[in-house]
Amino acid sequence: MEGLLREIVGKYNYWLYIVLMMIGLYAMIAKNNLIKKLVGMNIFQTAIILFYISMGYKKGGTLPIIELPPHHHEIPPDAIDISKYINPLPHVLMLTAIVVSVATFGVALAIALKIYKEYNTLEEDEIRMRIRER
Amino acid sequence: MKKLALIVAILCGAILIYATSEFPEWGDPNSPASLHVSPHYIKYSVEETEVPNIVTSVLADYRGFDTMFETTVIFCAGLTCFLLLRIFNEQGEEEGVYYRHLPTGVVIYFKRDDVDIRDEDFELIDSKFVPYDLIIKTVSRVLIPFIQLYALYVIAHGDFSPGGGFQGGVILGASIILLAITFNLKTAIAKISEKTLGILSALGVFIYAGIGCLCLLLKGHFLDYGKLAEILPVNPIKARALGMLGVEIGVGIAVMAVMIIIYINIASEGKHHEGL
């Protein structure tokens, strides 16, 4: 029982992101509307971003900006306590990933707009029907 | 189809949850992700680059290539939006413009597109009914300069506090998008034209790659900012911080321009005539 509780407390963040990710995956596969598919894709991306950020967290750590001593611009490397600062690498990766995801979402919307102009619908089965009719 | 998708999602989730039993616990300081390069970044960031914000130093210096191509991806996304959606008005397809006379509330419709009234009593509006709203316009007029000032602060102070080119660029772009939403798409385009946006988005990537090439010309490696000390009146370590600042400015310009390009093209379906 104690082992299970420990497992839940230690890992529940990953489980939440997996649930979120699967919601996105389900929306991408099952939804008929292209915009809903895109929303599913965005949920999926958000889950991955949260997953990375939570991997970089250290208990008791603060944000990765080195506290300099007052009136100094330098601090010797040995004076820095690594466990005090959270891992900066996932933050860097996700920082760019967020902006790139916004930009790619813009491209996806542009393509959806083009599809709507061509077929007058965003429902996948109707688009397929209209392609077959041609 | 829906049942199949549900089965796939649940199966995938079950496998992934099973895999988490091998994962380190949440917040474990000795997790594998925190043991390889990240201690070096945390320890030596200030000594090697004089930048206390480790995220910025990793973003712009240690992983400079990555960020350069991320910026290129954003530039390409803006370009794609433009190429996919932009429609240039052919002759004889003029849609006309609507103006509202503010004191009386009368709406005037001009059949020609090139009508341009610059009078305080007249206001350009969209063809769909838009009620006149003093509160929204006043608030956004007061807020936009402060949003832009804050964005510049976020870009310029990214070395020392949370911030940087990506965040500041998005805030700067959001201020123009706010203008386009609250006033009119044409008002925003009059402030910052499409041509300027295209040039700015390319300029941002050019600044980034240009700083990299400048380091090459100074006999260093690509994006090795330490070599900039030969042309800047600082020591090589401070030159790294300044090189990062330059790169962040480039990123900020590119991100701002691309965000606005994406918005105006999608909101007006490429016509640049009316927004949302």
Side-chain angles (χ1 to χ4, degrees):
Chain A
M1 187 64 201
E2 202 159 286
L4 184 71
L5 202 67
R6 213 183 130 77
E7 188 86 343
I8 291 172
V9 171
K11 309 271 170 67
Y12 73 96
N13 60 322
Y14 301 126
W15 299 351
L16 280 178
Y17 306 145
I18 288 166
V19 169
L20 207 56
M21 207 184 276
M22 287 310 121
I23 291 172
L25 186 69
Y26 174 78
M28 274 201 286
I29 300 172
K31 289 293 169 191
N32 203 19
N33 190 304
L34 290 181
I35 297 293
K36 284 182 184 167
K37 271 182 197 284
L38 289 182
V39 171
M41 191 182 81
N42 247 25
I43 294 173
F44 197 101
Q45 277 174 336
T46 313
I48 289 172
I49 288 166
L50 287 169
F51 172 66
Y52 264 74
I53 295 295
S54 82
M55 276 209 299
Y57 180 66
K58 291 175 190 164
K59 225 163 227 155
T62 179
L63 70 171
I65 297 171
I66 305 282
E67 267 179 65
L68 297 173
H71 313 299
H72 279 76
H73 289 293
E74 279 175 32
I75 182 168
D78 295 328
I80 297 170
D81 181 11
I82 295 173
S83 65
K84 208 179 134 194
Y85 300 102
I86 58 174
N87 188 354
L89 196 55
H91 289 249
V92 174
L93 299 176
M94 290 308 109
L95 171 70
T96 50
I98 290 169
V99 182
V100 169
S101 84
V102 170
T104 48
F105 190 61
V107 174
L109 282 180
I111 293 171
L113 257 177
K114 269 284 183 205
I115 291 172
Y116 185 78
K117 266 188 201 163
E118 185 75 25
Y119 299 107
N120 260 326
T121 174
L122 279 172
E123 303 293 326
E124 209 183 30
D125 48 353
E126 288 176 30
I127 293 170
R128 220 173 277 151
M129 212 172 65
R130 299 216 173 140
I131 291 174
R132 229 175 284 135
E133 279 169 6
R134 287 186 185 188
Chain B
M1 187 66 197
K2 288 209 164 152
K3 270 181 192 158
L4 196 69
L6 200 64
I7 292 168
V8 167
I10 288 174
L11 244 143
C12 251
I15 292 170
L16 287 174
I17 285 180
Y18 173 69
T20 55
S21 64
E22 311 259 313
F23 276 31
E25 283 191 8
W26 187 29
D28 184 7
N30 295 317
S31 68
S34 312
L35 288 182
H36 292 283
V37 281
S38 106
H40 180 95
Y41 292 153
I42 295 172
K43 272 206 154 163
Y44 296 100
S45 171
V46 174
E47 193 189 60
E48 288 176 351
T49 63
E50 268 196 27
V51 172
N53 185 354
I54 312 167
V55 172
T56 303
S57 69
V58 176
L59 182 88
D61 197 343
Y62 294 108
R63 296 181 64 90
F65 266 111
D66 184 17
T67 313
M68 189 178 101
F69 286 107
E70 300 270 15
T71 318
T72 318
V73 166
I74 291 167
F75 170 69
C76 290
L79 197 68
T80 316
C81 267
F82 172 80
L83 291 176
L84 274 178
L85 290 176
R86 187 79 175 100
I87 302 165
F88 292 99
N89 235 352
E90 311 255 317
Q91 280 200 336
E93 276 188 38
E94 295 188 72
E95 300 186 20
V97 285
Y98 292 82
Y99 275 93
R100 179 190 280 129
H101 185 230
L102 291 182
T104 56
V106 175
V107 174
I108 308 161
Y109 171 61
F110 294 96
K111 273 192 179 172
R112 281 168 46 217
D113 266 350
D114 50 356
V115 180
D116 186 17
I117 304 175
R118 285 171 191 274
D119 193 309
E120 285 202 352
D121 285 347
F122 286 94
E123 180 203 32
L124 187 66
I125 56 170
D126 288 348
S127 57
K128 294 194 183 99
F129 173 69
V130 196
Y132 179 69
D133 202 325
L134 184 70
I135 296 171
I136 289 176
K137 295 210 162 147
T138 315
V139 167
S140 68
R141 184 178 289 160
V142 171
L143 268 183
I144 284 168
F146 288 104
I147 294 174
Q148 289 175 337
L149 202 62
Y150 179 64
L152 293 179
Y153 164 76
V154 167
I155 293 177
H157 214 250
D159 292 4
F160 303 99
S161 63
F166 284 98
Q167 301 92 319
V170 169
I171 299 171
L172 209 54
S175 71
I176 303 285
I177 292 173
L178 179 67
L179 184 73
I181 291 173
T182 51
F183 283 81
N184 201 296
L185 193 67
K186 278 191 177 162
T187 319
I189 293 175
K191 292 268 182 237
I192 183 160
S193 72
E194 192 188 10
K195 198 174 172 186
T196 322
L197 286 173
I199 291 171
L200 281 181
S201 65
L203 180 74
V205 182
F206 179 76
I207 289 176
Y208 203 138
I211 289 176
C213 289
L214 201 62
C215 302
L216 273 183
L217 292 178
L218 295 167
K219 296 174 193 160
H221 296 291
F222 191 64
L223 292 173
D224 181 8
Y225 311 124
K227 290 280 185 270
L228 293 175
E230 289 180 27
I231 49 169
L232 295 170
V234 286
N235 60 352
I237 295 172
K238 189 72 190 163
R240 286 193 165 272
L242 289 177
M244 271 182 241
L245 180 65
V247 161
E248 294 272 12
I249 290 170
V251 171
I253 292 172
V255 169
M256 175 208 69
V258 168
M259 288 299 140
I260 302 170
I261 288 176
I262 289 177
Y263 173 76
I264 57 177
N265 276 314
I266 289 182
S268 67
E269 296 182 8
K271 285 180 197 153
H272 291 201
H273 187 252
E274 285 173 2
L276 292 173

